[in-house]
Structures are given as C-alpha cells and as structure tokens.
Amino acid sequence: MVASTHWLASATGMGVLERGGNAFDAAVAAGFVLQVAEPHLNGPGGEVPILLWSEAEQKVSVVCGQGVAPAAATIERFAGLGLDVVPGTGLLAATVPGAFGGWMLMLERWGTWSLADVLAPAIHYAEHGVPVLERISGTIGSVEELFRQDWPTSAATWLPGGNVPKPGSKLANPVLAATYRRLVAEAEAASSTREGQLAAARKAWYEGFVAEAIAEFSATTAWRDSSGEVHGGLLTGDDLAGWSASVEEPLTFDYRGYTVAKTGPWGQGPAFLQQLALLDGFDLDGMDFLGADYLHTVTEAAKLAFADREAWYGDTDVPMADLLSPAYNAERRTLIGDRASLELRPGSPGGRAPRLPVFPDPGTASDAPGLSGARKPQGVGEPTVAKDGMVKGDTCHVDVVDRFGNMVSATPSGGWLQSSPTIPKLGFCLGTRAQMFWLQEGVATALRPGARPRTTLSPSFALRDGKPWLAFGTPGGDQQDQWSLNFFLALVHGKLNLQEAIDAPMFHSEHFPSSFFPRGSRPGVMHVEDRIGEGVVAELRRRGHEVEVQGPWSLGRLSAVARDGAFLKAAANPRGAQGYAAGR
C-alpha cells in the first residue's frame, strides 16, 4: 500500500513495490517524485523527517533529514544586518539541505534498490514534465512579480516561455533532471556496488558538484527577501560537508492500548504526545464525537501542549520525561475549564520556570510586525490556510507498507519554488527553515550555529497492543500535530475507518504563535469546516472561541497506511483532488 499527497508519487511507490522493492525503496522513489510533482510544496533543497518500522529489526526508528544552521548564522550576525527576525524567504534563512541525506540514509540502511533505480521516475518527470495543478499555477502566479523583478533565475525556471504555466499544462525542469543524471553517473563511475554508489552520491551532494554550486551561489549572489532588503547567504561548503543525516530513537507515549511514536523535540512532534497525555484524563468516549464538548476539550488541550512547545522545544536539552509525566499532566489538566482560554500558558515541568520568546503582537500573518516598509516578496513562511480556507501549500507526505510488514511515514518539505531564488546550475532552490529560530538569547529555539530549527514537520507512527499498526501524517505547518491528532482520535474514539477518519470534518486552533515568519498569533481563533454544523459552532462561540468557519472540504491533507490483522489498508485525502492511496 502507498498513500501520499500526489497521485504520481503514490503510483511511483506502487511501481517499486510491484517490481520487488520494499517499503523503503518505494518511499524514497516516491519522495523524489514529490519534489517534481509538487515543487510548490517541497524540493531537493529542503528536508525530511522519517518514522519507519523495520520488520527485520522489530522496532521504530527516526531518520533525521533536517539540516542545521550554518556556522556563520549567529544572532549577532543578524543583528548586524538590522534584523530581529530571520526572513521567511531568501538565502539568509537557509539551513543545510537535509532531504537528500535523509532519503539516502534510509535507502542504504533498509532499502534494496540502487540510486539509479530510485531516481529514474523523478528524472523522467523532471525531463518530460508533470501536469500543472491549479495550486502550482496559483503559487507561481502569486510570486510572478517577485520572480520577474527580483529573482530572474526563478523566472527562468518557473515561467516557461515567460508566462505563468496554466493549469493542465505540462511543466518540466530539465536542469534538475540533468543534476540527478550527473549524480547517478558520478556514483556509478565511483563504485560498482550499491553501497559504494550511495556513498559516492552523498559525497557528490555534500562535498562535490552540488555543494560547490550551492556554496558559490550563497557566497556570490544577493537577493531581495521578506525583510524587504537584499541579502546574500551564509551557507558554505564546510557547512554541507560537516553534516550528515542520523538515525535516532523515537519518543513514545502509551494511550489506551496504543503507542504513538514521534520525533524528538527538535521537531514539534512531541506536542502530539503531550495532547494525548492531557486528553487521557477526559472521557472522550462519553462525549458526542465532534460535538461542542469534544471540540472544546481537544482544542484547549492543544493550546496547553503548544504553549509548552513554545517554551521548551528545540535542539537542546528538553525535559520530555517531565512534560509527559502523569503528575505534570494531572496538574495541567485542571487548567481546562468550560471557557476558551485566551492566554498562552506554558507549564513548569520539574519546577523549571518557562521562558518564552518575545513574540510579535497578536495578529494575522499579514499584519504582524517584523516586516519592513519596503516592497516585500510574497510566499513567506509556510502558508497553509487562508481566510477562505483554501490550502495554499506547504509540505508533502507519503506513507508506505509492504508485503513484508515494513512501514514508512515521511514528511518532506522545504525548498519549495517560492522560498528562495533558483540555483541555475542545479535547477532547485535552498530552503528557509532557519526562519523557525528566534534571534533571542536564552530561549530553546535561539539561533546558534550547527543547531536544528524546531521544525513543524511531523510524521507519525502508532502501534496497537504492541504491534505495528499505523503510519500517517499530513502537511500543514503548525496544524500538522492538530490534524494528525484529530485523525487518530477519530479512529480511537470515533470508531471510524481510515478513510472515514480522513474525511471527517476537520478543525484546528491558531491560538499560539506561528512557527513561521513573521511569527504572528491569533489568540482564541479556531478554524472548523462548516460540516461541523451551525449548532456546534454557536456553542463553541458561546464558550469564548473565536470560530472561523471554512469550506466543507478545506482543512487537512492526511494520508495513512495500516496493518490490520491479515489486511493492509490505506487512505488518502480527497480535499483538492490530489492525494491518492493505492494497493494490491
């Protein structure tokens, strides 16, 4: 089974499985196709966290494909540029591109296919083109002026014939195809073994021709970014050569017969576990599923968990044992009352005093402070839901389960076409994940060289009664560990099947500060699909929630695969008519 956010990636993954590949081979091939099929949502210059179940090892592992801040990226350096927040676009926000290393590490350790085989589908689509979705056309159209006036290398790549590609047309990226062809050629010339070729490919990417092109572009060019000013980059060849993807143990939490696994607190994933720890003290089964009591309770728990994310999470020593402890959550649970909270209330795990960054004043992303008065590029941050509820694009997701029982959940993102100028020698741009750092000393997410930004990327895995069960996830920035949690609760408490749980009316909170430039927040604001019902909305408003009602099929882009007894199952998101689940 394969489920993903784009039908071409799902079909690619199934093709690998049908030709003898395992789940890890299939996920890698699908992941590279997503870079081409959804270039407005991810790219080769981005990153990927992965959760996987190895049937041979009988365990869950985390692959960290999240790159780190450059050696030159210091708070003092940004202050010298007159910046108090990291821009949301351009070269200053680049971290080491981690996606390639993450995919290669999983392929080498658990996969069976060669570099040439897993890259072949992506090379084909980059060379011959993919159908342009309305959202690709819309995204390019939204940054057309920026590309024409400020980022000509991006205009050359994404405005074929000088025009915004129309929906239904075909869009190719021959320069990216050439980059991957050269990578394969150099790898095959360097070694005759699969392992040797994968090592050679990593070397070419992080020390060879790819790294050289990235370092040269970063050092010798400067571009207008979301600060309104023109800046060069900080990323160097040494930064790329000094980084490698890693395998880590997951963080887990046991909830009513289920064990959920997430990344460590260098990502926001543990907020899912904290929400479960809080909700474990409520009788969700006794509430009307998706009724006012249920939505209120789940949303208020999310506010507390994400307040702790703001105070405690980062690539540092995080007191997760205390944050997930019964005593801590029993105390925190008492803060959930009958009324919606309008405060950001982090806790004090183990008696430690929380320290929050100094946030911009509350407001929407468009009116939050931190933007200069100069003409500003669009496409900042990871905009997911607009006022009209339309998904604007941010990230991808892919889940795979194979005939052996191996399972993968991966959330590739970053390096999307609107993030920074295209590197003309490579056909892709750098990511902007460093915008998640704070330029404030003493906070968990303070910028420092070699640190991982606290990413929102959050794949999920769950065991049921100790046995591997479910790989799932969604795009969505700060919403990922709300939408994914809602899906999980729909399975556990709503007693829905995979597709019903994805299709169920979705909701989320914007109460806490955004992880993305310019870091605005909207205290008390809650988004719901209108299928929730007018009566529920009215009761939520009576309780103090500022409810913004969105279209009936507008929130969430989940996909999932499962092992369920003698069956394998999969489901994908119908919203946007783009995701697809397949199996045989």
Side-chain angles (χ1 to χ4, degrees):
M1 291 287 192
V2 182
S4 81
T5 48
H6 197 286
W7 71 88
L8 287 177
S10 298
T12 296
M14 276 308 302
V16 173
L17 296 178
E18 289 174 339
R19 287 178 287 155
N22 65 19
F24 313 112
D25 303 319
V28 173
F32 281 105
V33 166
L34 285 171
Q35 296 174 1
V36 182
E38 296 188 299
H40 59 313
L41 306 180
N42 78 138
E47 46 274 326
V48 61
I50 305 168
L51 268 75
L52 63 89
W53 170 269
S54 166
E55 187 68 7
E57 297 174 351
Q58 288 289 296
K59 64 177 293 189
V60 181
S61 295
V62 174
V63 174
C64 176
Q66 172 60 63
V68 299
T74 63
I75 293 174
E76 294 75 21
R77 182 69 173 266
F78 280 83
L81 295 172
L83 297 172
D84 57 5
V85 293
V86 178
T89 62
L91 298 183
L92 280 177
T95 55
V96 173
F100 188 82
W103 290 126
M104 289 299 102
L105 178 56
M106 182 169 71
L107 182 64
E108 179 181 40
R109 180 159 169 178
W110 290 282
T112 64
W113 274 32
S114 70
L115 176 72
D117 286 339
V118 296
L119 283 179
I123 292 172
H124 171 86
Y125 287 123
E127 198 162 57
H128 298 284
V130 295
V132 175
L133 303 168
E134 287 190 12
R135 288 172 182 164
I136 295 178
S137 179
T139 298
I140 296 174
S142 73
V143 290
E144 177 185 7
E145 179 185 356
L146 166 67
F147 284 4
R148 293 189 189 282
Q149 296 190 27
D150 293 312
W151 294 4
T153 61
S154 295
T157 303
W158 303 110
L159 298 175
N163 300 307
V164 175
K166 294 181 179 179
S169 65
K170 194 182 277 189
L171 181 63
N173 189 343
V175 179
L176 177 60
T179 295
Y180 281 141
R181 285 192 184 280
R182 180 176 174 182
L183 203 67
V184 171
E186 289 195 6
E188 291 181 340
S191 176
S192 61
T193 69
R194 190 184 83 94
E195 292 74 15
Q197 290 172 6
L198 294 176
R202 275 199 304 269
K203 188 175 180 66
W205 191 274
Y206 291 103
E207 300 179 51
F209 79 95
V210 176
E212 291 167 2
I214 291 172
E216 177 187 26
F217 191 77
S218 183
T220 63
T221 69
W223 309 84
R224 191 176 304 279
D225 58 36
S226 57
S227 71
E229 309 301 331
V230 175
H231 297 111
L234 303 176
L235 202 59
T236 68
D238 287 343
D239 293 320
L240 276 85
W243 180 85
S244 60
S246 59
V247 177
E248 304 176 0
E249 295 296 316
L251 274 179
T252 62
F253 184 80
D254 294 331
Y255 180 83
R256 305 188 185 187
Y258 300 86
T259 301
V260 178
K262 301 292 288 187
T263 71
W266 50 266
Q268 73 172 12
F272 188 120
L273 308 183
Q274 284 197 251
Q275 289 173 90
L276 288 181
L278 288 163
L279 293 171
D280 205 18
F282 292 94
D283 181 17
L284 294 186
D285 287 325
M287 300 178 188
D288 180 22
F289 178 64
L290 295 182
D293 282 345
Y294 181 94
L295 267 65
H296 171 80
T297 302
V298 172
T299 299
E300 292 304 297
K303 292 177 183 179
L304 294 175
F306 280 84
D308 278 345
R309 182 194 74 168
E310 294 306 308
W312 298 106
Y313 289 19
D315 194 7
T316 185
D317 184 20
V318 180
M320 284 310 310
D322 288 327
L323 288 168
L324 293 174
S325 68
Y328 178 77
N329 284 281
E331 178 184 351
R332 296 281 281 164
R333 206 173 289 126
T334 63
L335 297 176
I336 299 177
D338 294 332
R339 299 283 300 173
S341 171
L342 301 181
E343 299 176 84
L344 190 68
R345 301 179 290 180
S348 300
R352 304 168 183 84
R355 180 164 182 183
L356 290 168
V358 178
F359 300 115
D361 292 334
T364 65
S366 60
D367 64 17
L371 294 164
S372 86
R375 179 166 52 85
K376 301 179 292 293
Q378 301 177 55
V380 300
E382 195 172 41
T384 307
V385 182
K387 280 292 195 179
D388 59 5
M390 287 299 293
V391 177
K392 296 302 183 183
D394 57 306
T395 297
C396 307
H397 188 79
V398 59
D399 302 297
V400 186
V401 58
D402 65 23
R403 62 193 181 279
F404 309 111
N406 301 306
M407 302 178 75
V408 176
S409 172
T411 311
S413 185
W416 43 75
L417 64 87
Q418 66 272 29
S419 65
S420 68
T422 299
I423 302 171
K425 290 183 179 180
L426 300 175
F428 65 83
C429 60
L430 295 172
T432 53
R433 198 61 57 174
Q435 67 186 280
M436 294 176 162
F437 288 112
W438 286 98
L439 300 181
Q440 299 172 26
E441 297 285 1
V443 298
T445 49
L447 175 66
R448 71 177 193 277
R452 291 171 289 189
R454 190 206 66 206
T455 179
T456 54
L457 304 178
S458 193
S460 302
F461 191 86
L463 297 89
R464 183 170 60 189
D465 298 325
K467 298 178 180 179
W469 171 49
L470 185 68
F472 62 109
T474 180
D478 294 301
Q479 284 80 46
Q480 287 183 33
D481 283 298
Q482 297 184 75
W483 292 342
S484 291
L485 177 81
N486 296 344
F487 164 75
F488 177 80
L489 295 177
L491 297 173
V492 174
H493 295 290
K495 307 303 181 185
L496 305 182
N497 66 34
L498 293 188
Q499 194 62 55
E500 290 169 339
I502 289 175
D503 292 353
M506 189 57 73
F507 62 97
H508 69 267
S509 172
E510 283 192 340
H511 176 81
F512 42 85
S514 169
S515 296
F516 296 91
F517 177 93
R519 315 303 287 266
S521 63
R522 307 182 70 204
V525 171
M526 180 180 181
H527 292 259
V528 302
E529 291 183 344
D530 62 11
R531 294 181 293 136
I532 289 289
E534 294 181 1
V536 173
V537 170
E539 174 59 18
L540 289 170
R541 286 173 173 160
R542 188 192 70 77
R543 297 185 185 203
H545 297 277
E546 186 177 335
V547 182
E548 296 191 356
V549 180
Q550 309 293 356
W553 295 91
S554 57
L555 305 179
R557 290 211 294 135
L558 282 140
S559 64
V561 297
R563 291 171 55 177
D564 189 0
F567 294 95
L568 302 181
K569 298 181 177 180
N573 176 48
R575 299 162 177 88
Q578 185 178 321
Y580 208 81
R584 60 169 292 185

